[in-house]
Amino acid sequence: MRRYCIVERDSHEFHAGSKARNDVGQILTQQGWTALPVHRSQGKGIPDKLKMAAVTWMEWRKVSRTVAQGDTLLVQYPLDMYPKVSRLAIPFLRSMKENGVQIIMLIHDLDSLRGIEGNGERQFLETADVLVAHNQVMAEYLCERGYGDKAIRTLGLFDYLAQDVSAACNTGDPWEVVVAGNLMPNKAGYVYRLDQLDSKVRFRLYGPNYQQGAPQAGVKYCGQFPPEQLPQVLRGGFGLVWDGDRIETCSGVYGQYLEYNNPHKTSLYLACGLPVIVWDRSAIATYVVEHRLGIAVGSLAELPRRLQHMSREEYAALCQGAREMGERLRRGDMLRRALRGHPGAEDEVSG
């Protein structure tokens, strides 16, 4: 019985389209899993879709002929390609399942949480024997959607592999808050309203699609960097996990999605030794607070008061929790633990 994992690549190298996907493949191969490469979408338009349809069919046929009865196959869902093209993999997954292959589906994203149906999500997830969800809230959602007959495990947090993390990432100043990620206005519109807080909180922004406008007091744009470089360049005392166009709450489609998912930026901050600030209605809030990895607020307007009343000892404890968790994330402990299926894996934080 062998263990295989699907690893997506472009025409030149293994490439999963995001650091989270790359890290999963690296962790598994380090643990002795065999990588089975399939191509990801490389361009846009009809010609690329037609090419990818043929490539996808041939490569998944090869996968189905490689994996045998009693083997395990891990697939990262959704596949990093056009949804309609990705469905060509479904008949091969069904065939493998019927032939006695155990299929593990590690979930990165669920369109149904955004009200989007008909993209093959149900057909993919129904082929799985084991689903790996972000957290308990997502696991309960999957049960409500009819997947309660499957083994559902939770990550707790995504891993964030990194070897070189600058000790200077955490400046020791809780009033200096890092915001990392896609800064386009329709996703992170709140960053263009941070000066409304009228406080001594200072924000440092890192990421693409920032729309430079009139300068905001207390807000500095620090540029964009590849995910692998961020642990060397981030500087701050907290990392902020927020989405939507309002500072009063997380709003819109992206904000509401926080009620179910684990944003990868949470893992980035912790891997850098930064405690986090999260929305108190987000799925990750309970985990963060219980394990003393940061604080939860209902509105960014609460930040000045929360920071003002935070003692040095309390902040030091949060930094210590972030450092300890960061070490685990940089090693890939969360995925390893989830796949070992330890009872209470999500809640266990000792090494």
Side-chain angles (χ1 to χ4, degrees):
M1 294 183 289
R2 302 189 64 182
R3 298 175 300 170
Y4 296 91
C5 58
I6 297 296
V7 178
E8 292 155 315
R9 66 176 184 178
D10 61 20
S11 57
H12 303 291
E13 61 182 349
F14 288 107
H15 182 24
S18 74
K19 178 164 175 55
R21 290 174 179 267
N22 282 327
D23 284 354
V24 169
Q26 185 174 338
I27 292 166
L28 293 177
T29 53
Q30 288 173 348
Q31 290 293 298
W33 293 60
T34 300
L36 296 178
V38 300
H39 281 77
R40 61 186 291 269
S41 296
Q42 300 177 56
K44 296 181 178 180
I46 298 299
D48 186 60
K49 290 180 180 179
L50 292 174
K51 181 185 77 171
M52 285 305 303
V55 170
T56 298
W57 189 88
M58 289 188 293
E59 290 184 333
W60 278 91
R61 182 180 64 172
K62 182 177 180 180
V63 168
S64 69
R65 292 178 174 180
T66 301
V67 182
Q69 182 179 10
D71 291 342
T72 298
L73 175 69
L74 185 141
V75 181
Q76 300 189 61
Y77 179 83
L79 300 182
D80 193 12
M81 62 175 62
Y82 306 107
K84 290 184 178 179
V85 173
S86 72
R87 291 184 207 175
L88 292 170
I90 294 172
F92 296 106
L93 286 167
R94 288 173 174 163
S95 174
M96 286 184 280
K97 182 180 177 71
E98 291 171 358
N99 290 333
V101 174
Q102 182 189 55
I103 297 175
I104 301 174
M105 202 78 68
L106 190 153
I107 297 170
H108 286 281
D109 192 18
L110 291 174
D111 275 344
S112 61
L113 286 170
R114 302 187 184 93
I116 301 173
E117 304 286 353
N119 60 0
E121 178 178 298
R122 180 164 295 280
Q123 292 93 324
F124 269 102
L125 299 187
E126 284 178 342
T127 66
D129 298 286
V130 179
L131 296 174
V132 181
H134 294 195
N135 50 59
Q136 191 58 36
V137 176
M138 184 178 284
E140 292 170 1
Y141 171 80
L142 290 168
C143 288
E144 293 169 0
R145 293 277 293 180
Y147 304 110
D149 60 325
K150 304 182 183 303
I152 302 179
R153 301 176 185 172
T154 54
L155 279 173
L157 290 168
F158 277 99
D159 294 300
Y160 200 100
L161 300 185
Q163 294 183 344
D164 300 318
V165 176
S166 172
C169 281
N170 190 325
T171 61
D173 183 356
W175 293 88
E176 195 166 44
V177 177
V178 171
V179 178
N182 191 333
L183 301 174
M184 61 183 180
N186 69 334
K187 184 179 190 297
Y190 75 92
V191 302
Y192 305 96
R193 298 176 172 84
L194 290 173
D195 59 349
Q196 296 177 11
L197 293 177
D198 191 24
S199 75
K200 63 177 184 178
V201 182
R202 303 181 306 282
F203 295 91
R204 297 173 63 88
L205 313 182
Y206 299 80
N209 302 313
Y210 184 61
Q211 306 299 310
Q212 295 275 11
Q216 297 187 82
V219 178
K220 179 180 180 180
Y221 178 60
C222 301
Q224 66 178 90
F225 303 87
E228 295 76 14
Q229 291 183 16
L230 284 171
Q232 286 86 54
V233 301
L234 291 189
R235 298 291 184 273
F238 269 108
L240 178 63
V241 183
W242 204 264
D243 266 324
D245 60 2
R246 300 171 61 190
I247 60 175
E248 297 85 4
T249 187
C250 288
S251 59
V253 173
Y254 292 105
Q256 293 168 3
Y257 196 54
L258 290 177
E259 296 182 11
Y260 295 92
N261 81 322
N262 286 359
H264 196 239
K265 69 179 68 178
T266 311
S267 299
L268 162 65
Y269 298 142
L270 294 171
C272 293
L274 299 180
V276 295
I277 300 165
V278 301
W279 184 36
D280 62 5
R281 287 170 50 193
S282 65
I284 207 167
T286 300
Y287 190 90
V288 165
V289 173
E290 286 184 353
H291 298 306
R292 304 203 71 177
L293 304 176
I295 61 174
V297 297
S299 166
L300 293 182
E302 297 176 25
L303 268 184
R305 178 181 58 81
R306 291 291 299 273
L307 296 177
Q308 186 69 45
H309 291 88
M310 182 178 294
S311 68
R312 291 182 180 179
E313 292 75 17
E314 181 183 358
Y315 178 64
L318 297 179
C319 290
Q320 179 66 22
R323 284 193 296 270
E324 292 176 358
M325 178 58 74
E327 291 177 3
R328 297 182 61 206
L329 301 183
R330 296 195 300 271
R331 293 195 304 258
D333 285 1
M334 305 305 280
L335 178 59
R336 292 190 183 100
R337 187 171 295 255
L339 293 182
R340 284 201 301 267
H342 284 197
E346 180 181 347
D347 298 321
E348 193 171 334
V349 296
S350 58

